[in-house]
C-alpha cells in the first residue's frame, strides 16, 4: 500500500469537515433568505431563493453522507491492512498516524522513547519494503532517541 492510499482516510475526513462548514454557511444564508411581505405588488418575476437553497442543502447533505460512508469503508480497509503487519511498533505507528490522523510528533509522544523523525523513517521504510515485497527488518538505531 502506498502513502497516498494510506492517507485517503485523512483527506476524506478533511473533505467532510469542509463540506459541513459549507453546509452551515448555506443553512445560515437560507435561514436569512425569507420572503419580503410588504403588501406592494411585485415585479412579476418569481424567485424561489428558499427552494433553491433547500435543494443545495439536500445535495450537500447527500454528498456528506456519501463521504462518511467512504470513510467507514476506508477505515475498515486500513484497519485490515494494519492488522496484517507483523511488527508491533509499525502497527502502532500506522494506527496513530493513518487511522487516528495524528502528527508525527504526537505519534512519538504516544509511543515514547523514539523521535518523530525516526518514526517517520520507519514508517516510510516499511511502505517502501512492502511495495517491493521485501521483508521489513527494523534497524536498531531507529529505536534510539
Amino acid at each position: 500500500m502506498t502513502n497516498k492510499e494510506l492517507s485517503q482516510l485523512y483527506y476524506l475526513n478533511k473533505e467532510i469537515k469542509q463540506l459541513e462548514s459549507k453546509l452551515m454557511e448555506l443553512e445560515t444564508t437560507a435561514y436569512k433568505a425569507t420572503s419580503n411581505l410588504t403588501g406592494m405588488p411585485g415585479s412579476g418575476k418569481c424567485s424561489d431563493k428558499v427552494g433553491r437553497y433547500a435543494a443545495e442543502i439536500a445535495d450537500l447533505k447527500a454528498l456528506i453522507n456519501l463521504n462518511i460512508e467512504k470513510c467507514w469503508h476506508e477505515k475498515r480497509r486500513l484497519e485490515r491492512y494494519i492488522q496484517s503487519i507483523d511488527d508491533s511498533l509499525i502497527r502502532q505507528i500506522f494506527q496513530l498516524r493513518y487511522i487516528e490522523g495524528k502528527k508525527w510528533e504526537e505519534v512519538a509522544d504516544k509511543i515514547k522513547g523514539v523521535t518523530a523523525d525516526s518514526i517517520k523513517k520507519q514508517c516510510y521504510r516499511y511502505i517502501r519494503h512492502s511495495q517491493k515485497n521485501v521483508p521489513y527488518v527494523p534497524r536498531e538505531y531507529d529505536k534510539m532517541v
Side-chain angles (χ1 to χ4, degrees):
M1 191 172 291
T2 66
N3 189 48
K4 185 175 182 178
E5 291 172 311
L6 289 164
S7 299
Q8 283 305 300
L9 182 61
Y10 169 80
Y11 289 112
L12 276 170
N13 281 321
K14 192 172 183 174
E15 184 178 358
I16 289 169
K17 287 179 184 172
Q18 290 170 347
L19 289 171
E20 287 172 339
S21 176
K22 187 175 179 181
L23 177 63
M24 283 180 43
E25 290 174 19
L26 195 57
E27 287 175 335
T28 302
T29 304
Y31 181 73
K32 293 177 183 177
T34 57
S35 301
N36 287 336
L37 299 174
T38 62
M40 299 299 290
S43 66
K45 295 180 183 174
C46 189
S47 173
D48 184 12
K49 289 181 183 176
V50 175
R52 189 179 75 238
Y53 287 130
E56 288 181 43
I57 288 169
D59 288 345
L60 259 179
K61 285 182 178 181
L63 187 56
I64 289 169
N65 288 334
L66 178 65
N67 280 348
I68 288 172
E69 190 173 322
K70 285 180 186 177
C71 266
W72 187 85
H73 288 293
E74 189 62 28
K75 184 177 180 186
R76 297 296 166 261
R77 187 175 77 87
L78 284 176
E79 287 172 339
R80 284 191 303 274
Y81 175 75
I82 291 169
Q83 286 308 311
S84 73
I85 297 171
D86 291 333
D87 188 282
S88 176
L89 178 61
I90 297 297
R91 274 197 313 273
Q92 290 175 58
I93 293 169
F94 276 55
Q95 176 71 31
L96 293 166
R97 177 69 177 174
Y98 296 109
I99 300 288
E100 296 181 25
K102 298 202 179 298
K103 295 178 181 176
W104 291 116
E105 292 77 18
E106 295 171 315
V107 174
D109 288 344
K110 288 277 188 178
I111 292 179
K112 308 222 186 298
V114 289
T115 65
D117 191 46
S118 74
I119 283 178
K120 186 191 301 188
K121 285 179 185 176
Q122 287 182 60
C123 177
Y124 292 145
R125 188 176 298 125
Y126 182 86
I127 292 170
R128 274 195 315 276
H129 279 81
S130 66
Q131 289 173 339
K132 296 176 185 176
N133 291 325
V134 176
Y136 172 75
V137 179
R139 295 181 185 171
E140 279 306 310
Y141 70 84
D142 285 339
K143 296 181 182 180
M144 292 189 271
V145 177

